[in-house]
Amino acid sequence: MVGGCSSLSYSSSSTFIATTALSSSPLNLFPRSFLIQSPLNPRKPAPLRCVSSLTMESPKPILDFEKLDDGFVQKLVYDALVWSSLHGLVVGDKTHQKSGTVPGVGMMHAPIALLPTPFPESYWNQACEVAPIFNELVDRISLDGKFIQDSLSRTKKADVFTSRLLDIHSKMLESNKREDIRLGLHRSDYMLDEQTKSLLQIEMNTISCSFPGFGPLVTKLHQSLLRSHGDHLGLDSERVPRNASTIQFADAMAKAWLEYNNPRAVVMVVVQPDERNMYDQHWLSSVLREKHNIVTIRKSLAEVENEGRVHEDGTLIVGGQAVSVVYYRSGYTPRDYPSESEWNARLLIEQSSAVKCPSIAYHLAGTKKIQQELAKPGVLERFMDNKDDIAKLRKCFAGLWSLDDQEIIKKAIGKPELFVMKPQREGGGNNIYGDDVRENLLRLQREGEEENAAYILMQRIFPKVSNVFLLRDGVYHKDQAISELGVYGAYLRNKERVIINEQSGYLMRTKVSSSDEGGVAAGYAVLDSIYLN
């Protein structure tokens, strides 16, 4: 479970560790007894359709790409570009100097898959059902300050960024400050593993979950293309699930705003300077204003430090305005803290009574090292009482290990292609693959064990490869690609009262299969939707 932006990759940062002996055979490295799926029963109706039954299957091709002539595909491209322009599926053009600072200047269509990607309905249902369980797990972890501090104590010595976050968390514990109103806007990412025929979780993002504004737009774009060209393609637009992540995330923030109970307060979006993905964020602000009559302001951490203060009653004032909810679309990477000003701002916000999304505890609950601790036998039981819920979580966990595990380190050195090394970083471009896994593990053995705590080791997932039309800069190309499903979840609690705990839409990201790394904003992947089969 980690926070931050998209990290589409072959790897799986799961929260489960195998407890039996591991075979040296690649197919037996991760015991199937831990990965076999069982029928699921939805806990309650959800905005997205979730039904029972789960079978072991792989995505099936939805059409023969070889039979689509270039003229027809160009027509699809033209229609997709027009639709994207008319409906705000746009990002800043990095070649234009003002594209990240002046709205409406230097825009281009978001990188997208031209058609939806097939995805088995049974696994879709599974991902839908566990979303509320993961939401509850994050909240319960956040309340256990000792667990967070103890779990990350060694990481603190090896990773400066995590250390600074822990320092803020420690200050909050010492002050005995309670977060009565807790808002979580999460995204849990999954891939289908061909070897085990299982839906395996890659990570649980707890901060700055990207593209809740664009997910529904890509869904609607694909539905529109299939309505117009479905007869030629042989596809049914009704097989693309409805997606309401924008509305549901905005509604959750609005309810948090109501719980805070200051009608004059604003929602503050904490952003990176020169943010070219501003339009995804502005979609949420637009819904807050038009549906709920709530004003949003956008501030960088440096601006918060310069313009902000906390009143004696805990009210956060930024630019002369009281802030009820702080929604982070920044703050998840060391790059977001180039000076002490940014760290001062993060502490200032945390000391206030504003509702943080996420709080420092929620942020740390999503780190990879916490995930590795959750992988240990019996740790989930520390936070969850319902045995069925625990079983459902573990069914989507893949292998994850600490670098203290000498047996698994030996296996990773011998077969590095079956593992991924991940540091405590978000946003794509940080993971270690292939022979580099072996080289880095050998380096750590030579240099000592202290740096081990900065990394975790994960099973590498091998999803099915399929043909996809990728559309960037107005030009399409066909390539072999893999996909990652992200399911959003919203959670709002005020003391003992759970106000919202629901699955809240989805995001599909697709990338060329030859690329190890992922992330739409990082330039590796495109936005996509799913076609249920």
Side-chain angles (χ1 to χ4, degrees):
M1 293 165 54
V2 297
C5 291
S6 165
S7 60
L8 183 65
S9 67
Y10 286 109
S11 66
S12 171
S13 53
S14 72
T15 53
F16 179 54
I17 183 169
T19 56
T20 63
L22 299 179
S23 166
S24 59
S25 165
L27 291 178
N28 294 326
L29 184 60
F30 309 102
R32 287 177 59 87
S33 60
F34 294 119
L35 300 171
I36 300 298
Q37 309 298 325
S38 63
L40 303 177
N41 296 308
R43 305 169 77 196
K44 63 177 183 178
L48 297 178
R49 186 169 50 142
C50 298
V51 298
S52 63
S53 84
L54 187 61
T55 58
M56 310 274 280
E57 57 182 312
S58 300
K60 299 178 178 63
I62 56 177
L63 54 83
D64 186 350
F65 281 74
E66 300 299 331
K67 293 183 179 180
L68 299 179
D69 64 80
D70 181 70
F72 176 73
V73 178
Q74 291 290 2
K75 172 61 176 172
L76 287 176
V77 169
Y78 183 87
D79 289 353
L81 294 176
V82 169
W83 195 99
S84 297
S85 301
L86 292 176
H87 294 84
L89 184 53
V90 294
V91 295
D93 181 355
K94 63 182 178 181
T95 65
H96 197 290
Q97 185 179 1
K98 295 182 179 180
S99 65
T101 56
V102 183
V105 175
M107 297 188 300
M108 63 185 303
H109 74 91
I112 55 174
L114 190 56
L115 294 170
T117 294
F119 197 84
E121 188 168 6
S122 56
Y123 296 116
W124 160 250
N125 297 332
Q126 181 190 9
C128 289
E129 187 186 25
V130 296
I133 307 175
F134 275 117
N135 290 340
E136 185 70 32
L137 176 62
V138 170
D139 185 66
R140 294 187 183 185
I141 294 169
S142 76
L143 298 178
D144 194 333
K146 185 177 187 302
F147 174 79
I148 292 174
Q149 288 285 329
D150 290 349
S151 298
L152 292 166
S153 60
R154 288 191 60 225
T155 305
K156 181 175 184 177
K157 298 176 182 178
D159 186 274
V160 174
F161 177 62
T162 303
S163 177
R164 295 299 300 266
L165 295 174
L166 278 170
D167 286 343
I168 294 175
H169 181 252
S170 180
K171 286 184 173 68
M172 295 304 100
L173 292 177
E174 290 170 3
S175 66
N176 200 30
K177 185 177 183 301
R178 294 180 56 87
E179 298 292 335
D180 290 334
I181 306 174
R182 305 191 294 277
L183 172 64
L185 299 178
H186 306 140
R187 194 189 69 232
S188 186
D189 296 333
Y190 305 90
M191 275 185 171
L192 287 176
D193 183 56
E194 277 292 283
Q195 292 189 358
T196 61
K197 302 299 182 185
S198 301
L199 181 74
L200 300 182
Q201 187 192 49
I202 295 170
E203 60 190 15
M204 180 71 170
N205 300 277
T206 60
I207 180 171
S208 187
C209 297
S210 57
F211 302 115
F214 280 176
L217 292 179
V218 181
T219 297
K220 292 176 183 177
L221 165 63
H222 286 161
Q223 290 171 335
S224 176
L225 291 175
L226 295 191
R227 282 195 296 269
S228 299
H229 305 283
D231 290 343
H232 187 94
L233 293 167
L235 301 177
D236 180 5
S237 64
E238 292 299 314
R239 299 302 296 169
V240 179
R242 292 186 297 275
N243 193 350
S245 58
T246 309
I247 296 293
Q248 289 181 264
F249 267 26
D251 286 353
M253 283 192 277
K255 288 183 179 179
W257 179 86
L258 285 172
E259 291 296 315
Y260 187 81
N261 196 27
N262 181 350
R264 296 184 178 181
V266 301
V267 171
M268 180 172 71
V269 185
V270 179
V271 299
Q272 295 172 330
D274 304 322
E275 175 60 83
R276 293 188 173 89
N277 191 33
M278 67 170 76
Y279 305 104
D280 173 61
Q281 302 164 8
H282 278 299
W283 272 109
L284 298 176
S285 297
S286 177
V287 173
L288 283 171
R289 185 57 189 257
E290 296 177 10
K291 182 179 180 181
H292 301 285
N293 197 31
I294 297 173
V295 175
T296 63
I297 60 174
R298 294 170 61 83
K299 298 290 181 180
S300 68
L301 284 170
E303 289 173 327
V304 171
E305 201 270 344
N306 184 50
E307 303 174 20
R309 66 185 187 278
V310 175
H311 284 177
E312 288 186 5
D313 65 356
T315 302
L316 175 63
I317 305 293
V318 178
Q321 295 176 288
V323 176
S324 59
V325 178
V326 179
Y327 172 48
Y328 283 95
R329 292 299 294 265
S330 176
Y332 56 87
T333 170
R335 295 189 300 273
D336 293 333
Y337 301 86
S339 71
E340 284 300 307
S341 293
E342 287 77 15
W343 286 112
N344 292 339
R346 186 67 187 268
L347 177 60
L348 183 76
I349 293 170
E350 205 64 30
Q351 291 171 329
S352 76
S353 62
V355 181
K356 298 96 182 170
C357 183
S359 66
I360 193 68
Y362 265 50
H363 185 170
L364 290 168
T367 56
K368 296 179 178 68
K369 201 63 180 176
I370 291 290
Q371 185 174 357
Q372 179 244 303
E373 288 296 316
L374 291 171
K376 294 179 179 179
V379 176
L380 275 181
E381 284 79 0
R382 176 170 179 160
F383 303 103
M384 309 293 291
D385 301 318
N386 188 301
K387 292 182 179 180
D388 289 339
D389 286 350
I390 291 171
K392 289 170 185 175
L393 294 183
R394 283 189 170 140
K395 285 182 185 299
C396 61
F397 291 165
L400 180 146
W401 301 270
S402 162
L403 266 62
D404 296 331
D405 188 329
Q406 292 305 310
E407 181 182 355
I408 207 68
I409 296 303
K410 182 179 178 180
K411 290 182 179 292
I413 291 174
K415 294 181 178 294
E417 69 278 7
L418 299 181
F419 297 86
V420 180
M421 279 182 71
K422 284 192 173 183
Q424 309 294 319
R425 296 290 180 269
E426 310 306 334
N430 301 301
N431 299 330
I432 301 170
Y433 299 89
D435 289 339
D436 290 338
V437 171
R438 177 191 290 118
E439 292 177 9
N440 277 274
L441 290 175
L442 292 173
R443 175 182 61 82
L444 290 174
Q445 286 184 341
R446 291 192 304 269
E447 296 177 359
E449 297 183 353
E450 185 170 293
E451 193 182 345
N452 285 356
Y455 298 90
I456 58 171
L457 195 64
M458 282 165 280
Q459 168 190 358
R460 186 163 180 168
I461 295 176
F462 295 93
K464 184 178 179 61
V465 176
S466 58
N467 288 324
V468 175
F469 291 125
L470 306 173
L471 184 57
R472 284 184 179 274
D473 300 325
V475 178
Y476 87 90
H477 69 278
K478 184 176 70 174
D479 214 323
Q480 298 235 301
I482 59 173
S483 298
E484 176 181 308
L485 172 67
V487 175
Y488 294 109
Y491 188 90
L492 178 63
R493 188 181 192 120
N494 191 343
K495 297 181 181 178
E496 299 306 312
R497 180 167 56 100
V498 177
I499 301 164
I500 299 173
N501 184 13
E502 62 187 14
Q503 165 226 359
S504 305
Y506 74 99
L507 173 73
M508 193 74 155
R509 285 154 298 160
T510 296
K511 67 157 189 174
V512 175
S513 60
S514 59
S515 171
D516 283 331
E517 279 295 351
V520 176
Y524 299 102
V526 300
L527 301 172
D528 201 349
S529 69
I530 66 176
Y531 189 92
L532 296 177
N533 63 10

